[in-house]
Amino acid sequence: MKKYLLPSLGALALLGIVLAFAFEREIDRLSLATSLFSGEEMYDSFNRIDEIFPTAVMSASPDAVALPAGETTSLPQNFLYEGKRVAVGDFLSETDTSALLVLRDGRVRYEQYTLTGGPKVRWLSMSVAKSFTSALVGIAVAEGHIRSIEEPITAYLPELEGSAYDGVRIKDVLQMSSGAGWNEDYSDPDSDINRFGRILAVGGSLAELAARLERAREPGTYNLYNSMDTQVLGMLLVQATGRPIAEYMEEKLWHPLGMSSEGHWMIDDHGLEMAFMGLNATAR
């Protein structure tokens, strides 16, 4: 019996190794997405998002602007927080800060990389992406792709009729007062934001999730931090401009600003950018 058992175990082990290599990206994706809001250290993942998730790429600007160097400065030894002195070095260590760039008057005064960070390493921006999305909405208004932010968002996104966003002004979505029922409690496994996380983990459609939300309040009456509101603005951009968000961003912001490195934007299984958190860029 043993002479048959050992080769079988060896074959199973070999099969396991082959499958691990074959599905390495899927395993990494599942691991990152399911631990995203757990407090687990992320510096071995946030530096290589494009290796784990599908992304859309924004090329470096053909007129890249190099940040000029200024007189080197040092960081303060400590800072005051809630009446207590906190050592800057301890804070940077405890928060796994992997890239720190200080500009003054447009010049680099301090630059430090630790852990898996580096001058050419892209990092996941999390909700900083929301500011780029809202800026692009403003550009789309200026260019006439969106007639007015007083219009209902369903004038552009009829697939959201019957959902929480039916008839809601674009302005209310921009101000996160859409009235959509939403739970952004990262510690609650059943929260809406963790439903986002499950799409990150195993794939799916962010747009379909938006269409399933129900109204909890009258639009324009209550400000509630809601990542789905930004995702719906991303859907609006795609519909109004007829272009992917990353492509529009490349032309309207990334290149004109003289970005010296590629940018990557995470996309879902249908090619829609994760407008609420998916932008990746270097510190510079």
Side-chain angles (χ1 to χ4, degrees):
M1 182 68 177
K2 287 184 178 179
K3 67 178 181 179
Y4 298 110
L5 181 59
L6 290 175
S8 297
L9 290 175
L12 286 173
L14 180 59
L15 178 61
I17 294 171
V18 170
L19 288 174
F21 275 108
F23 295 98
E24 182 178 8
R25 183 168 183 165
E26 288 78 6
I27 293 170
D28 280 350
R29 175 174 175 168
L30 182 63
S31 175
L32 171 58
T34 53
S35 61
L36 190 60
F37 307 126
S38 68
E40 185 176 322
E41 293 175 339
M42 290 291 170
Y43 57 80
D44 280 327
S45 300
F46 282 3
N47 64 321
R48 56 187 187 93
I49 290 294
D50 55 305
E51 297 176 10
I52 302 173
F53 294 93
T55 61
V57 179
M58 296 174 291
S59 64
S61 173
D63 300 310
V65 177
L67 294 174
E71 182 181 351
T72 301
T73 188
S74 58
L75 298 179
Q77 293 298 308
N78 53 63
F79 60 92
L80 193 64
Y81 178 70
E82 294 186 343
K84 296 181 180 180
R85 287 284 170 186
V86 179
V88 169
D90 292 345
F91 172 77
L92 295 177
S93 177
E94 290 170 7
T95 53
D96 292 335
T97 298
S98 300
L100 178 60
L101 188 69
V102 178
L103 302 179
R104 184 173 182 181
D105 298 327
R107 295 182 176 274
V108 178
R109 300 291 301 275
Y110 184 88
E111 190 169 15
Q112 172 184 303
Y113 300 97
T114 58
L115 300 172
T116 55
K120 296 182 179 180
V121 175
R122 287 183 297 274
W123 279 82
L124 179 61
S125 70
M126 301 301 283
S127 287
V128 173
K130 291 181 169 71
S131 296
F132 285 92
T133 299
S134 63
L136 290 172
V137 171
I139 292 170
V141 170
E143 293 187 335
H145 299 298
I146 297 170
R147 292 176 292 273
S148 168
I149 61 172
E150 297 294 334
E151 284 191 296
I153 201 161
T154 40
Y156 299 84
L157 299 171
E159 64 268 33
L160 295 184
E161 292 176 359
S163 76
Y165 293 97
D166 195 351
V168 177
R169 295 184 306 170
I170 297 169
K171 180 178 179 178
D172 293 328
V173 184
L174 281 163
Q175 295 183 331
M176 288 193 176
S177 59
S178 66
W182 182 260
N183 177 0
E184 192 132 350
D185 183 350
Y186 299 95
S187 63
D188 179 357
D190 296 321
S191 68
D192 296 300
I193 193 63
N194 276 302
R195 290 165 68 192
F196 259 154
R198 285 189 279 277
I199 290 176
L200 294 181
V202 298
S205 169
L206 296 169
E208 288 179 5
L209 181 57
R212 293 199 296 268
L213 292 191
E214 298 179 355
R215 183 165 297 171
R217 300 176 179 85
E218 185 65 24
T221 63
Y222 188 88
N223 297 102
L224 176 71
Y225 191 83
N226 179 348
S227 287
M228 181 58 85
D229 280 359
T230 307
Q231 189 59 39
V232 169
L233 293 174
M235 295 166 59
L236 168 66
L237 278 169
V238 172
Q239 184 62 37
T241 66
R243 302 168 67 183
I245 298 171
E247 181 182 300
Y248 192 59
M249 168 93 154
E250 181 184 77
E251 180 187 340
K252 304 301 179 181
L253 284 176
W254 204 257
H255 283 183
L257 287 171
M259 299 297 195
S260 58
S261 301
E262 279 186 355
H264 287 225
W265 209 315
M266 296 165 64
I267 56 177
D268 70 9
D269 288 350
H270 299 269
L272 177 64
E273 288 85 352
M274 296 179 181
F276 66 104
M277 57 84 73
L279 178 64
N280 297 264
T282 67
R284 282 177 168 264

